[in-house]
Amino acid sequence: MNKKRMTSKELAKLAGVSSATISRAFSPDSRIGDATRERILAVAREHGYQPNAIARSLNNQRSRLVALVVNAIGNPCEAEEQQLLVHRLQARQLLPIILCCADHDDRLQLMRLASTYQVDHVVVFSDMVSMQDAVDIFRTTKPIIVSFEPLEHKSVSNIRIDGSAAADEIVDKIVKDGKKRFAYMTGTNSSWIDKLRRQWFSEALAKRGLKFEASAFGDYTYDSGFKESVMLIHRDKVDAIICGNDVMAIGARDAARRVLGKTTPTDIAIVGQDGIAMAAWDCNDLTTLSLDHVAFIDAVMELIERHEEDLEGPHSITLTCTARWGSTA
Amino acid sequence: MNKKRMTSKELAKLAGVSSATISRAFSPDSRIGDATRERILAVAREHGYQPNAIARSLNNQRSRLVALVVNAIGNPCEAEEQQLLVHRLQARQLLPIILCCADHDDRLQLMRLASTYQVDHVVVFSDMVSMQDAVDIFRTTKPIIVSFEPLEHKSVSNIRIDGSAAADEIVDKIVKDGKKRFAYMTGTNSSWIDKLRRQWFSEALAKRGLKFEASAFGDYTYDSGFKESVMLIHRDKVDAIICGNDVMAIGARDAARRVLGKTTPTDIAIVGQDGIAMAAWDCNDLTTLSLDHVAFIDAVMELIERHEEDLEGPHSITLTCTARWGSTA
DNA sequence: GGCATTTGCGTAACCGTGTACACAAATCTT
DNA sequence: AAGATTTGTGTACACGGTTACGCAAATGCC
């Protein structure tokens, strides 16, 4: 059967010291003789002892756990950032706990559960939970929330994303190509991030005396992009579709090409958002409003580090998007 | 500033009871009067009290944390399973800690770190860590390991995957189409799962007096699939490529079509493995050796539940793959 | 109504570490 | 060499909950 884990007291007996000295041997800067430390670490290695992080967390008031609130794991538009962030956290000996909102009926209860684990930080990637809810739930614990929602809140650090310049650039090119009837395909009907993105393009259109002639409501998936764009092209006769993310844009491109026999960018312009790696694949070659993932995660880590060092007050960082050109617009 | 979290003693004072009674109010079946419990829960709600999971874990010897050892998060071939599993774990109030091996230089140290958190279960998806290492590191704690490595081990439950029948079916079709020169493109050079998959196809070929005429070494990415297949087709004149996963197969298909002007399945047959959703997209339409993700995660949860109920002994479950037909073979 | 049993709750001892405090030994002053 | 300081270690308690134990009150039984 599985052996029980050894405690510091047991190891203390084996090494002929007190359990306090064991603890000191594992704390980098504490008053302990070099010889004693060496001996203890040797005995510990021999018996496979390692301090219990749960007990340490209880005492320290620091769990070294980080809650990542995400929509889904499989979704490519978030996955690249998640991967980068997890990597960076691990490098700092922080362990990520994933909270997956997508198909969990009670997201708030899920966050409450995570909050009982005394996580040190919370990163909210998901736009399915409101910042206010996150603040309420994690209010009692030390963490700050790294959120992208552009709402001001006194105890929340956040990252602003500005894509208006890139959207303007993209619209400019499409209009110069002679397109006139634009449509916007959203990923969720209630998401503030989707609203924000739409707004960048709306403003770029308005500047040129244009507006969105039609809208479609997808769910960020390839299938929804495929299906909705058939409607947009067939019924609304649009010749430019701005999609809420890259995956829907790929679906839209496939629909335009395969079902309706259109080619991009000649007959129709299709634009994605996110700038995922897959968008640059030869078979996709998508024009997309892209955010530099590395810069993004750098910003998140910057906020986390500030919080680790107990620098007071909420901080805010703004990032700008760029246009990434493919053959679809 | 952030308030400190309320403790059971503080709540006890507010409710006029002892801290033990607070604890009882939160344990479903313990000797406590209905009226008292109601009153305590009301006061707790009012003040936002929730028991500290870290302290509870220390006492219980049960953390309700599960370590998921994965290669990467973004990689679509694992992502769908990860998403499903996280969802199922959350439904059981278990929180997943992600250990991402891909670009972490010291995977073993990462696992040791996680083991100090007294995780209840460990699920090893990654083929970058050997089962023996996982067993050694998590030996002292209660968890079992759910691994797919077909190695027998007295303290490890595992899931076997058998794709030999499906591989046979696929090879049969390709050979009947007149193809003669097969190549295998592996994703990692040292992975047992890749060896296993290759073996299924090798045996199917051997049965027909054939063998792999060439090999390529990719890294599970689109780019490597693209690049390596150019070599295979150009240098080795193969007319059938079996890829270690779907993403490389899509890369190979693009290379064959765009760079070399070949069409599938007429000129060349290309086969993926995993059966990810993207493989079925209209633009891909890949023939792939596919594993039912839902059945797979059902099996993982089955093992976890058996372990939660302390059913002794390692368990083993075998799943079989099926062929999913597209236009590439 | 007397006795056995059950119910409801407080007391105190844990779970495994970290650390303030105390104190002896070693080292540094001049 | 006597006092001041530093160093190394043990003792005891805290972190926030759970639970075995004990005991009074309430309930059951004939």
Side-chain angles (χ1 to χ4, degrees):
Chain A
M1 202 35 218
N2 289 317
K3 287 168 228 158
K4 259 195 77 138
R5 189 169 272 263
M6 173 177 279
T7 75
S8 69
K9 274 195 190 107
E10 292 167 344
L11 188 70
K13 200 160 288 177
L14 287 173
V17 293
S18 80
S19 76
T21 305
I22 300 293
S23 172
R24 284 190 265 259
F26 282 89
S27 312
D29 29 41
S30 54
R31 296 200 328 203
I32 184 176
D34 289 345
T36 320
R37 165 175 280 147
E38 284 305 317
R39 186 162 48 88
I40 288 175
L41 290 183
V43 181
R45 243 191 316 274
E46 183 186 347
H47 294 268
Y49 168 83
Q50 278 194 287
N52 182 324
I54 295 287
R56 171 182 287 175
S57 301
L58 178 58
N59 193 308
N60 279 353
Q61 316 279 56
R62 268 194 99 249
S63 64
R64 303 200 71 83
L65 295 173
V66 179
L68 302 191
V69 183
V70 305
N71 281 333
I73 293 184
N75 208 341
C77 45
E78 312 178 69
E80 292 170 28
E81 280 138 9
Q82 290 169 22
Q83 167 70 25
L84 272 168
L85 180 55
V86 167
H87 178 50
R88 299 282 297 273
L89 289 174
Q90 285 173 357
R92 294 210 169 266
Q93 309 268 73
L94 292 169
L95 287 182
I97 289 182
I98 298 280
L99 306 186
C100 200
C101 294
D103 34 26
H104 199 273
D105 35 320
D106 194 347
R107 298 182 258 284
L108 272 59
Q109 196 205 335
L110 189 58
M111 293 179 66
R112 269 190 284 265
L113 176 61
S115 84
T116 66
Y117 281 82
Q118 323 292 327
V119 292
D120 288 345
H121 313 280
V122 182
V123 180
V124 179
F125 275 124
S126 171
D127 53 6
M128 299 180 75
V129 7
S130 88
M131 189 141 94
Q132 190 57 54
D133 285 338
V135 170
D136 288 346
I137 289 171
F138 289 100
R139 149 190 61 93
T140 52
T141 121
K142 212 170 98 191
I144 54 169
I145 288 115
V146 179
S147 171
F148 318 122
E149 191 168 357
L151 175 67
E152 301 279 355
H153 196 289
K154 60 180 163 37
S155 66
V156 172
S157 292
N158 70 355
I159 296 176
R160 310 280 185 88
I161 298 173
D162 184 2
S164 50
D168 195 79
E169 197 182 333
I170 289 173
V171 166
D172 189 65
K173 156 89 161 59
I174 296 176
V175 169
K176 281 190 178 140
D177 278 355
K179 306 289 188 296
K180 293 210 165 53
R181 293 184 59 81
F182 284 73
Y184 194 87
M185 188 186 302
T186 182
T188 56
N189 47 7
S190 63
S191 151
W192 49 262
I193 197 168
D194 213 292
K195 274 180 204 146
L196 191 63
R197 289 173 158 188
R198 180 182 180 132
Q199 197 182 329
W200 300 331
F201 285 96
S202 291
E203 285 169 5
L205 286 172
K207 234 196 256 182
R208 294 164 177 79
L210 295 169
K211 64 178 179 61
F212 284 118
E213 305 291 341
S215 289
F217 303 92
D219 59 3
Y220 286 135
T221 64
Y222 174 89
D223 286 340
S224 72
F226 194 101
K227 213 171 55 183
E228 293 299 328
S229 62
V230 172
M231 291 292 287
L232 286 177
I233 300 172
H234 205 72
R235 184 192 56 195
D236 302 308
K237 314 288 182 203
V238 304
D239 52 11
I241 303 179
I242 314 293
C243 300
N245 73 351
D246 288 341
V247 175
M248 288 195 297
I250 295 173
R253 194 271 326 264
D254 278 359
R257 190 161 63 189
R258 300 287 299 253
V259 177
L260 304 156
K262 309 237 176 207
T263 63
T264 56
T266 326
D267 299 331
I268 188 166
I270 290 173
V271 177
Q273 291 189 72
D274 282 337
I276 62 178
M278 193 169 54
W281 290 2
D282 185 80
C283 57
N284 294 324
D285 196 26
L286 200 68
T287 293
T288 178
L289 188 144
S290 142
L291 180 63
D292 183 338
H293 299 319
V294 175
F296 182 38
I297 296 306
D298 280 346
V300 173
M301 288 305 295
E302 172 70 23
L303 292 183
I304 287 181
E305 280 160 29
R306 284 188 202 168
H307 186 239
E308 289 257 305
E309 291 161 17
D310 264 328
L311 296 181
E312 282 300 333
H315 306 270
S316 187
I317 298 178
T318 299
L319 299 174
T320 57
C321 302
T322 57
R324 219 165 72 185
W325 300 101
S327 62
T328 61
Chain B
M1 199 37 216
N2 288 316
K3 287 167 230 160
K4 262 198 75 144
R5 187 169 273 265
M6 173 178 280
T7 74
S8 70
K9 272 190 191 111
E10 292 167 345
L11 187 70
K13 200 160 289 176
L14 286 173
V17 293
S18 79
S19 77
T21 305
I22 301 292
S23 172
R24 284 190 266 258
F26 282 90
S27 315
D29 28 44
S30 53
R31 295 200 329 201
I32 184 177
D34 289 344
T36 319
R37 164 174 281 146
E38 285 306 319
R39 184 162 48 88
I40 289 176
L41 291 183
V43 181
R45 241 191 319 272
E46 181 187 346
H47 293 267
Y49 169 83
Q50 278 195 289
N52 181 323
I54 296 287
R56 172 183 283 175
S57 300
L58 179 58
N59 193 303
N60 279 351
Q61 316 278 55
R62 265 192 103 251
S63 63
R64 304 199 71 82
L65 295 172
V66 179
L68 301 191
V69 184
V70 306
N71 281 333
I73 293 184
N75 207 342
C77 46
E78 313 177 67
E80 292 170 28
E81 280 138 8
Q82 291 169 21
Q83 167 70 24
L84 271 168
L85 180 55
V86 167
H87 178 49
R88 299 284 296 273
L89 289 174
Q90 285 173 357
R92 293 208 168 270
Q93 310 267 73
L94 292 169
L95 287 182
I97 290 182
I98 298 279
L99 308 185
C100 200
C101 293
D103 34 24
H104 199 273
D105 34 319
D106 195 347
R107 298 182 256 286
L108 272 61
Q109 196 205 333
L110 189 58
M111 292 179 68
R112 270 190 284 265
L113 176 59
S115 84
T116 66
Y117 281 81
Q118 323 293 327
V119 293
D120 288 345
H121 313 280
V122 181
V123 180
V124 180
F125 274 125
S126 170
D127 53 6
M128 299 181 74
V129 7
S130 89
M131 190 138 96
Q132 189 58 52
D133 285 337
V135 170
D136 288 345
I137 289 171
F138 289 100
R139 150 190 61 93
T140 54
T141 122
K142 215 169 100 189
I144 54 168
I145 287 112
V146 180
S147 171
F148 320 121
E149 188 168 1
L151 175 68
E152 300 279 356
H153 196 290
K154 61 181 165 33
S155 66
V156 173
S157 292
N158 68 359
I159 295 176
R160 310 283 185 87
I161 298 171
D162 185 2
S164 50
D168 196 80
E169 198 182 333
I170 289 172
V171 166
D172 189 64
K173 156 86 160 59
I174 296 177
V175 169
K176 280 189 179 143
D177 278 354
K179 306 290 189 295
K180 292 210 164 57
R181 293 183 60 81
F182 283 73
Y184 193 85
M185 187 185 304
T186 181
T188 56
N189 48 7
S190 63
S191 150
W192 48 262
I193 198 168
D194 213 293
K195 278 181 201 142
L196 190 64
R197 290 173 158 190
R198 180 182 180 131
Q199 196 181 333
W200 298 332
F201 286 96
S202 290
E203 285 168 6
L205 287 172
K207 233 197 254 184
R208 293 163 178 81
L210 295 169
K211 63 179 177 60
F212 283 118
E213 305 291 341
S215 289
F217 303 92
D219 59 3
Y220 284 134
T221 64
Y222 174 89
D223 287 340
S224 71
F226 194 100
K227 212 171 55 181
E228 294 298 327
S229 61
V230 172
M231 292 292 289
L232 286 176
I233 300 171
H234 205 72
R235 184 191 58 195
D236 302 309
K237 314 291 183 202
V238 304
D239 52 11
I241 303 179
I242 313 294
C243 299
N245 74 352
D246 288 340
V247 176
M248 289 195 296
I250 294 172
R253 192 274 325 269
D254 278 359
R257 189 162 63 189
R258 301 286 298 254
V259 177
L260 304 156
K262 309 240 177 205
T263 63
T264 58
T266 327
D267 300 331
I268 189 165
I270 290 172
V271 178
Q273 291 189 73
D274 282 335
I276 61 178
M278 190 170 51
W281 289 1
D282 185 80
C283 58
N284 295 322
D285 196 25
L286 200 68
T287 293
T288 179
L289 187 145
S290 139
L291 181 63
D292 182 339
H293 299 317
V294 175
F296 182 39
I297 297 306
D298 280 346
V300 173
M301 287 305 294
E302 171 72 25
L303 293 183
I304 287 180
E305 280 160 27
R306 285 189 200 169
H307 185 240
E308 289 257 306
E309 292 162 15
D310 263 329
L311 296 180
E312 283 300 332
H315 306 269
S316 188
I317 297 178
T318 299
L319 299 175
T320 57
C321 302
T322 57
R324 217 166 72 185
W325 300 102
S327 62
T328 63

